[in-house]
Amino acid sequence: DAGITQSPRHKVTETGTPVTLRCHQTENHRYMYWYRQDPGHGLRLIHYSYGVKDTDKGEVSDGYSVSRSKTEDFLLTLESATSSQTSVYFCAIRASGPQKETQYFGPGTRLLVL
Amino acid sequence: AQSVTQLGSHVSVSEGALVLLRCNYSSSVPPYLFWYVQYPNQGLQLLLKYTTGATLVKGINGFEAEFKKSETSFHLTKPSAHMSDAAEYFCAVKSPMNFGNEKLTFGTGTRLTIIP
C-alpha cells in the first residue's frame, strides 16, 4: 500500500469553514499528489509536490492550497469550503526505482460540505 | 494535451465470460499507460502499466492489456470473469517527459458488474 495514510477519512463541514486534509507517507518519496474524484470525471489533479516546500498546481487548483514542510506530510487546505468541493480526495505518491513512473494511492478522504 | 476515453461507463459480463474494457487515448507522444481498479470505498490499486518494451503487459488478478500505437488503444482483458472482479476500472495516461508533466490523466471509469 506504499505506506500512505490520509486523515481524516471522513469529514462533514459547513460552507465557508476552513478544512485541512493530511497525507502522510512513511517511505521518503519525493513526489506527492492530491487528486479529487467526482462521478463522471474520474480523478483530477489538484496540486502536487516535488520536494519539501516545492509545489505546483494541477488542473483544478482553484480554491485549494497545499503545503509540504517535511518529506512525509503533504497538506491540502480548503481556505473557505464550498459545496462544489464535496468530493473524495486521494493522496498519491510517485514511486522511485524500477516503479518510478507509477503513482500509488492512499485510501481517500470523503468530504461533505453542507 | 493528453486525454483518455473509456467506452462504456457500465459493463456487465457473466461469471466465466471474457472481460473487455476499452481505453483509447490521445497524446502527442506515445504515453505511459496504466489501469487501476477501485473497489467500493477504497483507494485505487494498480492493475498493470505500459511504459516501454513489450506491448502486451500482464497484471494482477489475471488481467492483461495490449498497447496498440496504431489504434491509440490500451484495452484491458481477462479471459474468465470472477465475481471478485466487480469494481470500477480506470485507465490513465502520463507523458513520458517528466519535467512539468506530472499529471496522470484519468478516464471517467468503467463500472464492471459480474452476473452469476
Side-chain angles (χ1 to χ4, degrees), chain A residues 75-104:
Chain A
L75 304 181
L76 176 71
T77 297
L78 292 65
E79 302 288 352
S80 177
T82 67
S83 58
S84 65
Q85 293 176 311
T86 292
S87 187
V88 183
Y89 291 86
F90 287 98
C91 175
I93 58 92
R94 177 149 70 93
S96 52
Q99 300 296 329
K100 65 183 172 73
E101 297 304 336
T102 304
Q103 293 185 20
Y104 293 93

mmCIF file of all heavy atoms in Angstrom, chain A residues 75-104:
data_model
loop_
_atom_site.group_PDB
_atom_site.id
_atom_site.type_symbol
_atom_site.label_atom_id
_atom_site.label_comp_id
_atom_site.label_asym_id
_atom_site.label_seq_id
_atom_site.Cartn_x
_atom_site.Cartn_y
_atom_site.Cartn_z
ATOM 1 N N LEU A 75 -0.096 18.539 2.990
ATOM 2 C CA LEU A 75 -1.383 19.017 3.476
ATOM 3 C C LEU A 75 -2.141 19.724 2.365
ATOM 4 O O LEU A 75 -1.564 20.506 1.603
ATOM 5 C CB LEU A 75 -1.177 19.993 4.640
ATOM 6 C CG LEU A 75 -0.379 19.482 5.834
ATOM 7 C CD1 LEU A 75 -0.286 20.568 6.908
ATOM 8 C CD2 LEU A 75 -0.981 18.222 6.397
ATOM 9 N N LEU A 76 -3.434 19.453 2.311
ATOM 10 C CA LEU A 76 -4.332 20.131 1.377
ATOM 11 C C LEU A 76 -5.307 20.965 2.186
ATOM 12 O O LEU A 76 -5.970 20.445 3.084
ATOM 13 C CB LEU A 76 -5.103 19.108 0.539
ATOM 14 C CG LEU A 76 -6.149 19.661 -0.424
ATOM 15 C CD1 LEU A 76 -5.458 20.385 -1.592
ATOM 16 C CD2 LEU A 76 -7.054 18.557 -0.959
ATOM 17 N N THR A 77 -5.394 22.268 1.874
ATOM 18 C CA THR A 77 -6.270 23.169 2.610
ATOM 19 C C THR A 77 -7.311 23.778 1.697
ATOM 20 O O THR A 77 -6.977 24.279 0.617
ATOM 21 C CB THR A 77 -5.465 24.282 3.301
ATOM 22 O OG1 THR A 77 -4.581 23.690 4.263
ATOM 23 C CG2 THR A 77 -6.393 25.250 4.027
ATOM 24 N N LEU A 78 -8.548 23.714 2.146
ATOM 25 C CA LEU A 78 -9.626 24.452 1.523
ATOM 26 C C LEU A 78 -9.838 25.676 2.410
ATOM 27 O O LEU A 78 -10.296 25.551 3.551
ATOM 28 C CB LEU A 78 -10.906 23.610 1.477
ATOM 29 C CG LEU A 78 -10.936 22.380 0.560
ATOM 30 C CD1 LEU A 78 -9.954 21.308 0.980
ATOM 31 C CD2 LEU A 78 -12.350 21.831 0.491
ATOM 32 N N GLU A 79 -9.462 26.831 1.940
ATOM 33 C CA GLU A 79 -9.471 28.029 2.789
ATOM 34 C C GLU A 79 -10.877 28.385 3.246
ATOM 35 O O GLU A 79 -11.090 28.803 4.374
ATOM 36 C CB GLU A 79 -8.847 29.204 2.038
ATOM 37 C CG GLU A 79 -7.419 28.957 1.562
ATOM 38 C CD GLU A 79 -6.406 28.963 2.699
ATOM 39 O OE1 GLU A 79 -6.774 29.307 3.844
ATOM 40 O OE2 GLU A 79 -5.242 28.599 2.457
ATOM 41 N N SER A 80 -11.842 28.211 2.356
ATOM 42 C CA SER A 80 -13.242 28.509 2.658
ATOM 43 C C SER A 80 -14.082 27.535 1.849
ATOM 44 O O SER A 80 -14.335 27.753 0.671
ATOM 45 C CB SER A 80 -13.557 29.960 2.281
ATOM 46 O OG SER A 80 -14.921 30.236 2.513
ATOM 47 N N ALA A 81 -14.462 26.446 2.485
ATOM 48 C CA ALA A 81 -15.074 25.346 1.760
ATOM 49 C C ALA A 81 -16.383 25.750 1.086
ATOM 50 O O ALA A 81 -17.181 26.514 1.645
ATOM 51 C CB ALA A 81 -15.322 24.179 2.707
ATOM 52 N N THR A 82 -16.600 25.220 -0.113
ATOM 53 C CA THR A 82 -17.845 25.419 -0.836
ATOM 54 C C THR A 82 -18.460 24.051 -1.158
ATOM 55 O O THR A 82 -17.772 23.025 -1.153
ATOM 56 C CB THR A 82 -17.609 26.173 -2.150
ATOM 57 O OG1 THR A 82 -16.851 25.338 -3.034
ATOM 58 C CG2 THR A 82 -16.860 27.470 -1.920
ATOM 59 N N SER A 83 -19.744 24.057 -1.470
ATOM 60 C CA SER A 83 -20.436 22.788 -1.747
ATOM 61 C C SER A 83 -19.834 22.078 -2.953
ATOM 62 O O SER A 83 -19.878 20.846 -3.043
ATOM 63 C CB SER A 83 -21.921 23.034 -1.950
ATOM 64 O OG SER A 83 -22.129 23.946 -3.015
ATOM 65 N N SER A 84 -19.268 22.848 -3.878
ATOM 66 C CA SER A 84 -18.657 22.235 -5.064
ATOM 67 C C SER A 84 -17.382 21.467 -4.722
ATOM 68 O O SER A 84 -16.851 20.736 -5.567
ATOM 69 C CB SER A 84 -18.337 23.299 -6.104
ATOM 70 O OG SER A 84 -17.358 24.193 -5.624
ATOM 71 N N GLN A 85 -16.890 21.632 -3.516
ATOM 72 C CA GLN A 85 -15.705 20.895 -3.086
ATOM 73 C C GLN A 85 -16.059 19.604 -2.351
ATOM 74 O O GLN A 85 -15.174 18.897 -1.875
ATOM 75 C CB GLN A 85 -14.811 21.793 -2.221
ATOM 76 C CG GLN A 85 -14.211 22.941 -3.019
ATOM 77 C CD GLN A 85 -13.401 23.902 -2.189
ATOM 78 O OE1 GLN A 85 -13.846 24.363 -1.133
ATOM 79 N NE2 GLN A 85 -12.192 24.239 -2.655
ATOM 80 N N THR A 86 -17.343 19.302 -2.267
ATOM 81 C CA THR A 86 -17.760 17.988 -1.803
ATOM 82 C C THR A 86 -17.222 16.952 -2.784
ATOM 83 O O THR A 86 -17.504 17.021 -3.975
ATOM 84 C CB THR A 86 -19.288 17.884 -1.722
ATOM 85 O OG1 THR A 86 -19.759 18.730 -0.670
ATOM 86 C CG2 THR A 86 -19.739 16.458 -1.478
ATOM 87 N N SER A 87 -16.442 16.020 -2.276
ATOM 88 C CA SER A 87 -15.755 15.097 -3.165
ATOM 89 C C SER A 87 -15.043 14.042 -2.327
ATOM 90 O O SER A 87 -15.058 14.073 -1.097
ATOM 91 C CB SER A 87 -14.737 15.858 -4.028
ATOM 92 O OG SER A 87 -14.156 15.031 -5.015
ATOM 93 N N VAL A 88 -14.409 13.122 -3.022
ATOM 94 C CA VAL A 88 -13.481 12.199 -2.372
ATOM 95 C C VAL A 88 -12.073 12.608 -2.781
ATOM 96 O O VAL A 88 -11.798 12.750 -3.980
ATOM 97 C CB VAL A 88 -13.751 10.735 -2.751
ATOM 98 C CG1 VAL A 88 -12.797 9.813 -1.993
ATOM 99 C CG2 VAL A 88 -15.201 10.356 -2.448
ATOM 100 N N TYR A 89 -11.219 12.794 -1.815
ATOM 101 C CA TYR A 89 -9.867 13.295 -2.072
ATOM 102 C C TYR A 89 -8.860 12.169 -1.855
ATOM 103 O O TYR A 89 -8.861 11.492 -0.823
ATOM 104 C CB TYR A 89 -9.554 14.461 -1.131
ATOM 105 C CG TYR A 89 -10.379 15.685 -1.464
ATOM 106 C CD1 TYR A 89 -11.661 15.855 -0.940
ATOM 107 C CD2 TYR A 89 -9.883 16.647 -2.332
ATOM 108 C CE1 TYR A 89 -12.426 16.959 -1.269
ATOM 109 C CE2 TYR A 89 -10.645 17.757 -2.668
ATOM 110 C CZ TYR A 89 -11.916 17.909 -2.136
ATOM 111 O OH TYR A 89 -12.666 18.999 -2.470
ATOM 112 N N PHE A 90 -8.009 11.998 -2.847
ATOM 113 C CA PHE A 90 -6.985 10.976 -2.775
ATOM 114 C C PHE A 90 -5.604 11.603 -2.825
ATOM 115 O O PHE A 90 -5.331 12.480 -3.645
ATOM 116 C CB PHE A 90 -7.121 9.986 -3.932
ATOM 117 C CG PHE A 90 -8.286 9.065 -3.803
ATOM 118 C CD1 PHE A 90 -9.471 9.321 -4.472
ATOM 119 C CD2 PHE A 90 -8.206 7.944 -2.997
ATOM 120 C CE1 PHE A 90 -10.552 8.480 -4.348
ATOM 121 C CE2 PHE A 90 -9.282 7.086 -2.864
ATOM 122 C CZ PHE A 90 -10.457 7.355 -3.538
ATOM 123 N N CYS A 91 -4.756 11.109 -1.955
ATOM 124 C CA CYS A 91 -3.343 11.433 -1.987
ATOM 125 C C CYS A 91 -2.620 10.309 -2.726
ATOM 126 O O CYS A 91 -3.040 9.141 -2.674
ATOM 127 C CB CYS A 91 -2.832 11.559 -0.556
ATOM 128 S SG CYS A 91 -1.066 11.812 -0.401
ATOM 129 N N ALA A 92 -1.545 10.649 -3.400
ATOM 130 C CA ALA A 92 -0.745 9.645 -4.091
ATOM 131 C C ALA A 92 0.721 9.989 -3.972
ATOM 132 O O ALA A 92 1.089 11.154 -3.732
ATOM 133 C CB ALA A 92 -1.147 9.543 -5.563
ATOM 134 N N ILE A 93 1.566 8.977 -4.127
ATOM 135 C CA ILE A 93 2.997 9.197 -4.211
ATOM 136 C C ILE A 93 3.491 8.625 -5.520
ATOM 137 O O ILE A 93 2.855 7.752 -6.099
ATOM 138 C CB ILE A 93 3.752 8.549 -3.025
ATOM 139 C CG1 ILE A 93 3.493 7.031 -2.957
ATOM 140 C CG2 ILE A 93 3.364 9.202 -1.718
ATOM 141 C CD1 ILE A 93 4.512 6.210 -3.696
ATOM 142 N N ARG A 94 4.608 9.142 -6.011
ATOM 143 C CA ARG A 94 5.246 8.530 -7.180
ATOM 144 C C ARG A 94 6.403 7.695 -6.673
ATOM 145 O O ARG A 94 7.266 8.190 -5.936
ATOM 146 C CB ARG A 94 5.729 9.578 -8.171
ATOM 147 C CG ARG A 94 6.472 8.944 -9.365
ATOM 148 C CD ARG A 94 6.316 9.743 -10.625
ATOM 149 N NE ARG A 94 6.994 11.018 -10.643
ATOM 150 C CZ ARG A 94 8.225 11.220 -11.124
ATOM 151 N NH1 ARG A 94 8.913 10.203 -11.581
ATOM 152 N NH2 ARG A 94 8.736 12.433 -11.142
ATOM 153 N N ALA A 95 6.381 6.445 -7.086
ATOM 154 C CA ALA A 95 7.404 5.522 -6.622
ATOM 155 C C ALA A 95 8.761 5.882 -7.216
ATOM 156 O O ALA A 95 8.858 6.621 -8.197
ATOM 157 C CB ALA A 95 7.018 4.092 -7.008
ATOM 158 N N SER A 96 9.793 5.355 -6.618
ATOM 159 C CA SER A 96 11.148 5.528 -7.134
ATOM 160 C C SER A 96 11.690 4.172 -7.559
ATOM 161 O O SER A 96 11.012 3.146 -7.392
ATOM 162 C CB SER A 96 12.044 6.172 -6.082
ATOM 163 O OG SER A 96 11.964 5.455 -4.868
ATOM 164 N N GLY A 97 12.861 4.153 -8.122
ATOM 165 C CA GLY A 97 13.455 2.891 -8.549
ATOM 166 C C GLY A 97 12.739 2.314 -9.762
ATOM 167 O O GLY A 97 12.247 3.053 -10.608
ATOM 168 N N PRO A 98 12.649 0.983 -9.853
ATOM 169 C CA PRO A 98 12.058 0.329 -11.036
ATOM 170 C C PRO A 98 10.605 0.729 -11.295
ATOM 171 O O PRO A 98 10.130 0.628 -12.411
ATOM 172 C CB PRO A 98 12.139 -1.159 -10.683
ATOM 173 C CG PRO A 98 13.222 -1.265 -9.671
ATOM 174 C CD PRO A 98 13.178 0.018 -8.889
ATOM 175 N N GLN A 99 9.888 1.152 -10.278
ATOM 176 C CA GLN A 99 8.485 1.528 -10.450
ATOM 177 C C GLN A 99 8.304 3.039 -10.545
ATOM 178 O O GLN A 99 7.213 3.561 -10.258
ATOM 179 C CB GLN A 99 7.668 0.996 -9.263
ATOM 180 C CG GLN A 99 7.717 -0.508 -9.099
ATOM 181 C CD GLN A 99 7.094 -1.237 -10.281
ATOM 182 O OE1 GLN A 99 6.184 -0.730 -10.907
ATOM 183 N NE2 GLN A 99 7.612 -2.418 -10.583
ATOM 184 N N LYS A 100 9.347 3.776 -10.986
ATOM 185 C CA LYS A 100 9.355 5.228 -10.787
ATOM 186 C C LYS A 100 8.312 5.972 -11.580
ATOM 187 O O LYS A 100 8.093 7.142 -11.333
ATOM 188 C CB LYS A 100 10.742 5.784 -11.084
ATOM 189 C CG LYS A 100 11.196 5.649 -12.540
ATOM 190 C CD LYS A 100 12.598 6.176 -12.677
ATOM 191 C CE LYS A 100 13.182 5.898 -14.030
ATOM 192 N NZ LYS A 100 12.621 6.734 -15.072
ATOM 193 N N GLU A 101 7.668 5.347 -12.554
ATOM 194 C CA GLU A 101 6.624 6.061 -13.283
ATOM 195 C C GLU A 101 5.248 5.806 -12.703
ATOM 196 O O GLU A 101 4.256 6.286 -13.229
ATOM 197 C CB GLU A 101 6.640 5.643 -14.753
ATOM 198 C CG GLU A 101 7.916 5.981 -15.474
ATOM 199 C CD GLU A 101 8.248 7.462 -15.400
ATOM 200 O OE1 GLU A 101 7.325 8.294 -15.201
ATOM 201 O OE2 GLU A 101 9.436 7.813 -15.525
ATOM 202 N N THR A 102 5.173 5.061 -11.633
ATOM 203 C CA THR A 102 3.889 4.631 -11.112
ATOM 204 C C THR A 102 3.475 5.451 -9.903
ATOM 205 O O THR A 102 4.284 5.701 -9.011
ATOM 206 C CB THR A 102 3.944 3.147 -10.719
ATOM 207 O OG1 THR A 102 4.354 2.389 -11.868
ATOM 208 C CG2 THR A 102 2.583 2.656 -10.251
ATOM 209 N N GLN A 103 2.216 5.851 -9.883
ATOM 210 C CA GLN A 103 1.657 6.521 -8.715
ATOM 211 C C GLN A 103 0.823 5.527 -7.910
ATOM 212 O O GLN A 103 0.062 4.746 -8.469
ATOM 213 C CB GLN A 103 0.793 7.715 -9.136
ATOM 214 C CG GLN A 103 1.630 8.830 -9.762
ATOM 215 C CD GLN A 103 0.833 10.067 -10.073
ATOM 216 O OE1 GLN A 103 -0.248 10.299 -9.536
ATOM 217 N NE2 GLN A 103 1.371 10.905 -10.955
ATOM 218 N N TYR A 104 1.004 5.582 -6.603
ATOM 219 C CA TYR A 104 0.258 4.735 -5.682
ATOM 220 C C TYR A 104 -0.608 5.617 -4.796
ATOM 221 O O TYR A 104 -0.167 6.680 -4.355
ATOM 222 C CB TYR A 104 1.215 3.893 -4.831
ATOM 223 C CG TYR A 104 1.975 2.877 -5.648
ATOM 224 C CD1 TYR A 104 3.232 3.185 -6.172
ATOM 225 C CD2 TYR A 104 1.437 1.623 -5.917
ATOM 226 C CE1 TYR A 104 3.925 2.266 -6.949
ATOM 227 C CE2 TYR A 104 2.130 0.696 -6.686
ATOM 228 C CZ TYR A 104 3.368 1.032 -7.205
ATOM 229 O OH TYR A 104 4.053 0.117 -7.974
#
